[in-house]
Amino acid sequence: VANEHTYIHKESVSEKVFTESGKNFSDLPIHKHLISNLEKINFTKLTTVQEKVIPVLLSGKDMLVRSQTGSGKTLAYAVPIMNALQSLTPRITRKDGVQALVVVPTRELALQTHELFNTINTFQWIVTSHLCGGENRKSEKDRLRKGVHVLIGTPGRLLDHIFHTSALKLENIRCLILDEADQLLDMGFRKDIMSLVEELNKAKLNKSYEPLDILKHGHKSLEDEGISGFPLRNVNSKCRQTILLSASLSEGVKELADF
């Protein structure tokens, strides 16, 4: 985990996949049904990246994570996301819209990531979906219209729906994951990602502009709100937590993180 503006290890490196502490998912403060579901699919012991990432993610901080492919980083963000969404009371419904957005570079990774979310999702009211090239756009629009809570997609297809599908609302997104950030940049998605983040920021600012509330309390910027814990656990949070994951911390990834 890189703190503030410290960027090291420009090349991807080999690391120990599992921690020496031997901690398990059952040691985490997560729902027992989520733990039992993980155990059913043989996920018990935490990998190094999971042990380091999950506590920081739960604290609500933005993160830049360098971790090799196959280290278990998808679960490092999928488990906290699912646990946070199941904890909301009253339960979220389809009309609450997208709460967490995961951006990946390829169709294959979008499908794999969606499959993993589905595999660990033991909560029937939480809806996950994906948007990527090669899929039927009408079917995707129908899924968005019905309501989705966790949305996984490739940058181009996500932007397509952001600009042309009115059912895709962005104002409730409180967690943004950019997975395989180095690959996203290598494939030429830098401008798409910047446009996507700008649209998310616009949606958040528009939602926070409530004239009657401003008359009573004055206007507060997103920065004024601060972050207290995992924003996904609070439907009223004005904050969005952003997490970049990458196999290497190149100059391009550094620039994206600064943006």
Side-chain angles (χ1 to χ4, degrees), residues 246-259:
S246 180
S248 63
L249 296 187
S250 63
E251 193 64 27
V253 173
K254 172 190 179 298
E255 289 171 4
L256 183 62
D258 286 342
F259 168 74

Side-chain angles (χ1 to χ4, degrees), residues 18 20 47 54 121 127 132 138 160 174 184 205 208 249 253-254:
F18 289 97
E20 305 211 345
T47 66
I54 291 174
N121 184 13
V127 183
C132 57
K138 186 179 182 304
D160 185 7
R174 301 185 302 286
L184 283 166
L205 286 169
S208 67
L249 296 187
V253 173
K254 172 190 179 298

Side-chain angles (χ1 to χ4, degrees), residues 79-173:
V79 169
I81 286 173
M82 296 308 297
N83 187 65
L85 294 179
Q86 68 77 30
S87 73
L88 295 174
T89 53
R91 286 182 179 180
I92 52 173
T93 64
R94 283 181 177 266
K95 67 179 174 58
D96 291 312
V98 182
Q99 314 281 301
L101 181 64
V102 181
V103 184
V104 295
T106 65
R107 178 178 187 274
E108 291 71 27
L109 191 54
L111 295 172
Q112 286 172 24
T113 304
H114 185 199
E115 184 180 1
L116 183 63
F117 268 92
N118 272 346
T119 301
I120 69 169
N121 184 13
T122 189
F123 311 104
Q124 298 303 313
W125 64 92
I126 299 175
V127 183
T128 63
S129 190
H130 67 272
L131 304 173
C132 57
E135 301 287 312
N136 183 292
R137 285 188 79 262
K138 186 179 182 304
S139 297
E140 289 180 337
K141 278 191 172 186
D142 289 342
R143 293 202 300 271
L144 291 170
R145 201 171 290 116
K146 287 178 183 175
V148 173
H149 301 124
V150 180
L151 186 60
I152 301 130
T154 51
R157 185 55 69 97
L158 282 168
L159 275 180
D160 185 7
H161 282 285
I162 285 170
F163 290 129
H164 302 112
T165 303
S166 59
L168 177 53
K169 307 294 184 187
L170 307 177
E171 61 268 21
N172 292 328
I173 294 175

